[in-house]
Amino acid sequence: MLNARLNWNLKEKPFDESPLSALRQQTTYSGAFLKLCIQRGLDTEEKLNAFLNPTDKVFHDPFLMHDMEKAVNRIRRAIEKGETIVVYGDYDADGITSTTILVEAIEVLGGNVSFYLPNRFKDGYGPNTTVFQKLVEEGTELIITCDNGVSGHEAIEIAMKADVDVIITDHHELPEKLPNAYCVIHPRHPEGNYPFADLSGAGVALKVIAALFERVPYEFMDVAAIGTVSDLVSLTDENRWIVLQGIQALKNTERIGLHLLFEKAGVSVDSVDEDTIGFVIGPRLNALGRLGDASPGVELLMSFDEDQLMSLVETIQQTNAKRQEIVSTIYESAVQKVAQWESLPDVIVLYDENWHEGVLGIVASRIVEQTGRPTILLHFDKATGIAKGSGRSIEALHLIEALSHCAADLLKFGGHKMAAGMSLSTDKIPDFSESINKYAQTFHAEILKGDSIQVDDILELGDVTLDFLKEVNLLRPFGTDNPKPVFGFDRIPAANVKQIGTDQKHLKLMLQSGSDSLDVIGFNKGGLAEHLDGQPAISAIGELSINTWRDISKPQLQLKDVKVDTVQYFDFRQSKFDTKSLSHMNSVYLFFNNKFFEKMSEHLPTESVAVLLESDDIIPDFSEDLTNLVILDCPTDLDNVETFLKNHPFNNYYIYAYPVDLIQIQGMPTKEVFARVYKYLYSKKDIAIKEKLDELSAFLKIDKNLLVFVIQVFLEAKFVTIDYGVLNPVPSPPKQVLMETEVYKKRYKKIQSEKMFIYSSFADLSIWLKK
C-alpha cells in the first residue's frame, strides 16, 4: 500500500447542467474543457470569451492610483530640469525588472537617471539609511523606489529632510503608517481607487510608465511579464493580459541579453511561455541577488553591447550553477540533521554557520516537500551572534501568526502565511524552536495530514487527447489564482515502470487500460518505482501537457502524487546484507536471531522500531502508526510469525530474510544417524565432548553442527548426561519419542521457515503472508 503524500480534494463546485449545456451549444469546445472553465467561474459565453481573448480594455487607467498624477508631474519636471534621478530597486527578479522599466523609460524621455540595487547581505531589503544618506550627499535630486519603499520610514525621512523627493512605487503589504514620502504609488493605497490590487513591482512600474507615456507601453511588456510571473502574483485580470502580451513580446524581443540567455539555457525562442519565465529567466535573475550583486540583471535587460552581454550571461549562468550547488549541499546537510532525530517535530528548526543565507528559502521548501512539516532554516554568524533565515510552511500552520506568537525570541520577522524571513540572537534559537513547536501543538493533527491539493477532475484515459490538451492550453498563462489544472486517474494499471536519470531519481511509467495509454513522468519520484511495478491498479494525479520528441507529439502526465490502495509485498531476499535494508521509515523491523537483533537494532532510521520475535505470547509494544513491516532475518518459527501477523496488520511488507544461521543444507538427521550416534555414545564413558567433538564428527562421518544437535536431543530425552563438559550415557534411559523433544521440534520449525522464506517462490510466500 502506498499512501498519498497529499490530501486529494476533488473540486465539486456545484453548478447546474444548464450552463454546460448552453456552452456546448454556443461553442465548439469539449465537455471536459467546458466543465473545467465553469469550475473557474467562466460559466457564460461572455465570460469565457473575455478570459480566452482578453483585450487592452483590461489594462486599467493608471491615474486611478492615488498620487499617480503627482508622481508623473514630478518625474516630468525632473526630466525637464535635468535633475539627477536614482531608481532604488530590489535584488530579486521583480526588483530587477521594475528597475529596468523605470530606468529605460526615463532614459527614453531624456532623463538623467541611474539605479541602485541594494545588496541583500550589506544593505538588506528596502530603503537603507546609509545608502540614502550617500545618495543625498552625491547630489541626487529625486529617488524613485520600485518593488519596495512602504516600510522605509527612516531612510525616506533622511532624503525628504534634505529636500530630495522620494516617490515610492511598491506593491507589498501596507503598514499602518506610510512613510513621509513625496508620494506613494501603490495599487492598494487606502485613498486610491484602483480596481486591481495584485500588481507586481514590475506591474506598478509599468503603470507609472503608462501614465508618463499616456499610452499602453507595449515595449516594456516583455520585462513586466518576467517580474509578474517571477513574483508569483495573481495571474488574473490585467496581470494575465500583461503576461500574455509579454510572452508574445519575449518571442520577438530585441533585447540581445535575453536572446543570449535563451541560447545559453537551451531555450527555443518560439517555445517561450510562463514556464520559461518561472524556471529559466526568473531563477537566474534571482540567483544574482541571492549570492551577491543583482545589478548585472538590469544590465542584461538594458544593454546592447554584445561583448558585455556575453560576459554577463556567462556570469549569470555561473552564478545560477553555483546557487544550485549551494542549495544541493545545504539540502543534504539539512537532511542529515533531520535523520538524526528519533521523531519529527511539528515545526522543523535547523541552523548552521556554514549555510548560505541567500538560498535558505529554497532549501526550506524542499525540506517541507520531503517531510510535510513547516521548516525554518537559519544561518548564524559567530562574530555578531545573530542568526538569519527563512521559513516555509504548509496550509495547516499560518507562519506569520506562529512567528508573532514567538516575537519575544525574535529580533525581526516578516512575510506571509506560507513564507517568512526572520532574525534572532543565536543563543535564542533553542528557545525559539521550543516556543514555535509549543504553539504548533494546537495544529498537530492538521500538520500530520499534510498539504491539500485541488484535483479539477477525474478523467478516463480516453479523455486525454491532443485536442483536449490544446483546449486546456487556452487557459494559459498559468500561475497564482489561475493554476495549471490537476487531473486524476483512478485505479488504472501501471506498465513499464522504471527509474530514470543518471542517479535513478526520476520515475517513468505508463498508465494503460485496454487500447488507451498515457505516458507518466515523475521528477524526484524514482523511489516510488518499487511500489508501482507490477501493480494491478494505481491512482495518480498530475498536470497534463503535450510532449514532443522528434516531431511526434503525445499527451504526458507530470506526476504530482500517486497511491496504491492494496497491501503490498516486496521481495528483497538476498544472501548478502545490504545497508539499504535499514532505510525504511515508519517501520517495524522484525528480528529472530538475538545476536543479529543486538547488532542491527541501533542502526534503524527515524521513527522505526526493532522487535525481537522469540515467541507468540511476548511481543514488545510499538505504535500502531507504524505502517510497514520489515522482516530482516529469516524467521525461525512460522507459527510465531503467523500469530504476529494476525494481530498486527501492515500496509507494506518488505522481505529480506537474511540467512543469518542457515541450517537447511544440513537438514534433519535420519533415524539411522540417531542410531549410529547413540550406539557409539552408549559404548563409551566419560567423553570430554567439547575436546572430542571434531574427532567424533570425523569418525562418525556426521557434520559437526548436526552432531551437536543430535547430542542436544539425547540430552533433553535423558539418553545422556553432561556434567562439567563430560558426557556419559544413561544406563536405562526412559522411553522417549525423539521427534517430540523441544530441541527437535525447534529445528524442524526452523527448517520449515527457511523453506518458506528463502527457498520458496515469492508468489507462494506472498500467498502465505496474505493468509
Side-chain angles (χ1 to χ4, degrees), residues 200-212:
S200 64
V204 176
L206 189 72
K207 304 307 288 193
V208 173
I209 300 312
L212 272 171

Side-chain angles (χ1 to χ4, degrees), residues 98-163:
S98 53
T99 300
T100 299
I101 291 169
L102 289 172
V103 172
E104 196 170 87
I106 293 172
E107 280 185 346
V108 168
L109 294 173
N112 176 21
V113 62
S114 61
F115 68 90
Y116 184 92
L117 296 189
N119 183 291
R120 177 193 295 262
F121 310 103
K122 184 180 67 175
D123 303 323
Y125 170 75
N128 178 280
T129 55
T130 303
V131 174
F132 267 53
Q133 182 63 53
K134 186 178 180 182
L135 291 176
V136 169
E137 293 170 357
E138 291 175 347
T140 302
E141 295 167 276
L142 174 64
I143 298 174
I144 306 173
T145 73
C146 54
D147 195 33
N148 74 93
V150 292
S151 298
H153 293 77
E154 187 178 353
I156 291 168
E157 189 71 23
I158 288 172
M160 293 296 292
K161 284 183 176 180
D163 293 327

Side-chain angles (χ1 to χ4, degrees), residues 80-309:
E80 291 168 1
K81 291 184 175 182
E83 293 180 10
T84 301
I85 305 169
V86 174
V87 174
Y88 188 94
D90 190 24
Y91 42 70
D92 67 357
D94 193 22
I96 289 170
T97 52
S98 53
T99 300
T100 299
I101 291 169
L102 289 172
V103 172
E104 196 170 87
I106 293 172
E107 280 185 346
V108 168
L109 294 173
N112 176 21
V113 62
S114 61
F115 68 90
Y116 184 92
L117 296 189
N119 183 291
R120 177 193 295 262
F121 310 103
K122 184 180 67 175
D123 303 323
Y125 170 75
N128 178 280
T129 55
T130 303
V131 174
F132 267 53
Q133 182 63 53
K134 186 178 180 182
L135 291 176
V136 169
E137 293 170 357
E138 291 175 347
T140 302
E141 295 167 276
L142 174 64
I143 298 174
I144 306 173
T145 73
C146 54
D147 195 33
N148 74 93
V150 292
S151 298
H153 293 77
E154 187 178 353
I156 291 168
E157 189 71 23
I158 288 172
M160 293 296 292
K161 284 183 176 180
D163 293 327
V164 177
D165 290 335
V166 179
I167 297 174
I168 295 174
T169 75
D170 200 354
H171 72 117
H172 291 98
E173 289 297 323
L174 289 166
E176 290 185 11
K177 182 180 179 182
L178 290 171
N180 183 30
Y182 180 81
C183 59
V184 178
I185 308 299
H186 194 292
R188 290 191 295 278
H189 195 291
E191 296 178 28
N193 191 32
Y194 199 72
F196 183 62
D198 291 314
L199 289 170
S200 64
V204 176
L206 189 72
K207 304 307 288 193
V208 173
I209 300 312
L212 272 171
F213 285 10
E214 298 182 340
R215 62 174 175 81
V216 178
Y218 287 97
E219 62 268 46
F220 297 103
M221 290 294 177
D222 51 356
V223 180
I226 295 171
T228 301
V229 172
S230 298
D231 217 50
L232 303 178
V233 292
S234 177
L235 281 192
T236 57
D237 203 270
E238 67 178 332
N239 275 350
R240 182 167 183 271
W241 184 80
I242 288 170
V243 174
L244 279 171
Q245 299 302 311
I247 288 172
Q248 290 305 311
L250 284 168
K251 291 179 178 180
N252 299 284
T253 186
E254 295 180 358
R255 299 180 189 275
I256 300 172
L258 288 177
H259 278 286
L260 292 174
L261 187 65
F262 290 152
E263 184 179 340
K264 195 73 175 178
V267 172
S268 168
V269 175
D270 294 336
S271 66
V272 169
D273 57 17
E274 70 273 26
D275 287 340
T276 310
I277 298 172
F279 298 107
V280 177
I281 307 174
R284 283 164 171 77
L285 294 180
N286 281 325
L288 295 169
R290 289 186 184 281
L291 302 188
D293 181 18
S295 299
V298 178
E299 300 295 342
L300 174 83
L301 297 173
M302 290 182 58
S303 176
F304 286 90
D305 183 333
E306 190 162 344
D307 290 336
Q308 178 200 22
L309 286 168

Side-chain angles (χ1 to χ4, degrees), residues 4-15:
R5 184 180 61 83
L6 303 168
N7 292 316
W8 301 5
N9 294 327
L10 180 63
K11 288 183 181 177
E12 295 180 352
K13 182 177 179 180
F15 58 87

Side-chain angles (χ1 to χ4, degrees), residues 735-751:
K735 288 186 178 181
Q736 175 72 42
V737 179
L738 298 182
M739 290 185 293
E740 294 298 321
T741 63
E742 292 302 316
V743 174
Y744 188 98
K745 288 190 288 187
K746 184 177 180 180
R747 182 180 179 89
Y748 179 77
K749 287 182 176 181
K750 191 171 189 302
I751 287 178

Side-chain angles (χ1 to χ4, degrees), residues 5-73:
R5 184 180 61 83
L6 303 168
N7 292 316
W8 301 5
N9 294 327
L10 180 63
K11 288 183 181 177
E12 295 180 352
K13 182 177 179 180
F15 58 87
D16 297 333
E17 286 294 321
S18 52
L20 182 59
S21 299
L23 286 173
R24 274 184 156 171
Q25 294 177 358
Q26 296 162 350
T27 71
T28 58
Y29 299 120
S30 67
F33 176 68
L34 291 174
K35 181 179 178 182
L36 182 65
C37 293
I38 292 171
Q39 285 176 332
R40 297 182 179 220
L42 308 176
D43 53 2
T44 67
E45 185 179 17
E46 181 182 6
K47 291 179 182 178
L48 186 60
N49 287 335
F51 189 85
L52 299 183
N53 304 292
T55 67
D56 61 4
K57 291 181 180 179
V58 76
F59 191 77
H60 304 299
D61 182 355
F63 288 100
L64 293 175
M65 283 193 195
H66 177 70
D67 272 351
M68 181 62 82
E69 186 172 357
K70 184 178 180 182
V72 167
N73 290 337

Side-chain angles (χ1 to χ4, degrees), residues 495-740:
N496 302 330
V497 179
K498 55 187 175 183
Q499 292 174 266
I500 60 173
T502 53
D503 49 5
Q504 303 288 285
K505 68 188 295 187
H506 307 306
L507 175 70
K508 188 175 183 180
L509 59 92
M510 178 184 291
L511 296 178
Q512 193 157 26
S513 178
S515 60
D516 296 321
S517 64
L518 176 63
D519 291 338
V520 180
I521 185 75
F523 294 110
N524 299 310
K525 291 180 171 58
L528 300 178
E530 66 183 35
H531 281 277
L532 307 179
D533 194 17
Q535 291 305 307
I538 70 172
S539 298
I541 60 172
E543 298 170 350
L544 289 168
S545 62
I546 299 173
N547 182 42
T548 301
W549 173 250
R550 293 181 177 176
D551 297 327
I552 298 176
S553 295
K554 297 173 63 178
Q556 177 177 269
L557 181 73
Q558 184 171 326
L559 195 64
K560 285 283 189 182
D561 203 5
V562 63
K563 62 183 178 182
V564 179
D565 294 329
T566 56
V567 174
Q568 293 184 276
Y569 302 86
F570 302 96
D571 185 6
F572 292 132
R573 295 177 297 174
Q574 53 188 309
S575 59
K576 294 183 179 180
F577 177 76
D578 186 348
T579 55
K580 290 181 180 178
S581 61
L582 299 178
S583 63
H584 297 287
M585 305 287 288
N586 197 41
S587 301
V588 172
Y589 273 76
L590 205 55
F591 292 86
F592 305 89
N593 181 284
N594 188 57
K595 289 184 178 179
F596 192 60
F597 166 78
E598 291 178 350
K599 181 180 179 181
M600 295 297 171
S601 58
E602 296 180 358
H603 303 287
L604 303 187
T606 303
E607 297 184 351
S608 291
V609 300
V611 170
L612 179 62
L613 187 61
E614 296 181 290
S615 69
D616 61 1
D617 57 352
I618 302 176
I619 305 295
D621 292 331
F622 55 85
S623 171
E624 294 181 359
D625 293 335
L626 300 173
T627 57
N628 305 312
L629 179 69
V630 181
I631 297 181
L632 203 60
D633 59 324
C634 183
T636 55
D637 188 325
L638 291 179
D639 293 337
N640 289 346
V641 178
E642 183 176 347
T643 301
F644 178 85
L645 295 180
K646 283 181 178 178
N647 294 326
H648 303 285
F650 295 89
N651 293 343
N652 299 294
Y653 296 79
Y654 300 91
I655 313 301
Y656 290 90
Y658 291 125
V660 177
D661 183 24
L662 202 62
I663 63 171
Q664 177 69 35
I665 296 175
Q666 302 164 16
M668 295 296 293
T670 63
K671 290 182 179 181
E672 186 274 331
V673 169
F674 277 111
R676 183 161 22 117
V677 175
Y678 181 75
K679 183 178 180 181
Y680 178 85
L681 297 178
Y682 198 74
S683 66
K684 303 293 180 179
K685 289 184 178 181
D686 298 330
I687 302 172
I689 192 64
K690 189 173 182 179
E691 290 82 0
K692 296 290 185 179
L693 193 60
D694 288 333
E695 181 182 327
L696 187 58
S697 171
F699 177 78
L700 294 173
K701 298 180 180 179
I702 299 173
D703 180 87
K704 184 171 70 172
N705 292 322
L706 197 60
L707 177 59
V708 170
F709 166 70
V710 171
I711 293 172
Q712 288 174 336
V713 172
F714 288 162
L715 188 63
E716 183 184 339
K718 299 183 179 179
F719 284 11
V720 299
T721 62
I722 299 177
D723 294 313
Y724 300 103
V726 178
L727 183 147
N728 279 292
V730 175
S732 299
K735 288 186 178 181
Q736 175 72 42
V737 179
L738 298 182
M739 290 185 293
E740 294 298 321

